[in-house]
Amino acid sequence: MLAALIRWITGDLVGQLTAAYKDKLAADTDEKKLVADAVVKQLEAAVQARATSAQVVTTGMQHKAFWIPWLIAAVPTAAWFGWGMCDSLFHGALPDVAALPPQLKEYADIVFQNIFYVGGGVAGLQLVASAIRGRK
C-alpha cells in the first residue's frame, strides 16, 4: 500500500530511478554504463525538480497572501458545486446552477480538485501522525 502511494505521489520516479541504478550496475560495457548513468542523472534531476516545486508551494502556503486568492477562487467554486449537489438531491426543486464558461470551468475543475487533494493530504498526514503517536 505504501509503495503504491509513493508511486502515485512521485509518478513512479522512484521506481524508474531504482531500475536505472540496477541497469547501471548490470551494464557490462562502458557504453551501456554511460547510457545508464545519463538516465540516472536525468531521473535524479526530475526528482530534484519535483522536490523544488513542492518546496515552493509549501513555502508559499505559509504566507497569508497565498490563501487570499486561493479562498477567492475556492469558496465560490465549492458553493457552486454544493448548490448543484443540493439541486440533484432535491430532484431539481432548486433553481438550476448556471453552467460555467469553458475557460472558467477548466480553472474551477483545477481549484476543486485541489480542495480534495489538500483535504486528502491533511487526512492522510493526520492518520500517519496518529499511528506514530500510538506506537510511542
Side-chain angles (χ1 to χ4, degrees):
M1 165 103 172
L2 185 59
L5 182 63
I6 290 172
R7 271 195 309 272
W8 180 71
I9 292 171
T10 63
D12 201 29
L13 280 176
V14 174
Q16 292 174 0
L17 191 58
T18 303
Y21 275 122
K22 286 179 183 176
D23 290 346
K24 182 178 175 181
L25 291 174
D28 53 354
T29 65
D30 288 339
E31 181 182 346
K32 288 182 181 179
K33 286 182 183 179
L34 287 174
V35 168
D37 192 41
V39 170
V40 167
K41 289 192 184 303
Q42 182 182 16
L43 290 171
E44 285 174 344
V47 169
Q48 182 62 31
R50 284 198 181 183
T52 302
S53 177
Q55 184 180 16
V56 166
V57 171
T58 303
T59 303
M61 289 174 70
Q62 294 175 358
H63 299 285
K64 291 179 184 177
F66 171 85
W67 292 103
I68 293 168
W70 189 86
L71 286 171
I72 289 171
V75 170
T77 302
W80 171 78
F81 183 78
W83 187 267
M85 293 298 291
C86 287
D87 187 40
S88 297
L89 182 67
F90 296 118
H91 304 291
L94 299 174
D96 288 338
V97 177
L100 294 175
Q103 300 88 353
L104 186 57
K105 176 75 167 94
E106 182 179 334
Y107 180 71
D109 287 343
I110 293 168
V111 169
F112 199 68
Q113 288 171 357
N114 286 331
I115 292 170
F116 282 109
Y117 291 150
V118 169
V122 169
L125 289 174
Q126 287 175 344
L127 184 65
V128 169
S130 66
I132 291 172
R133 277 191 301 246
R135 289 185 180 180
K136 288 184 178 182

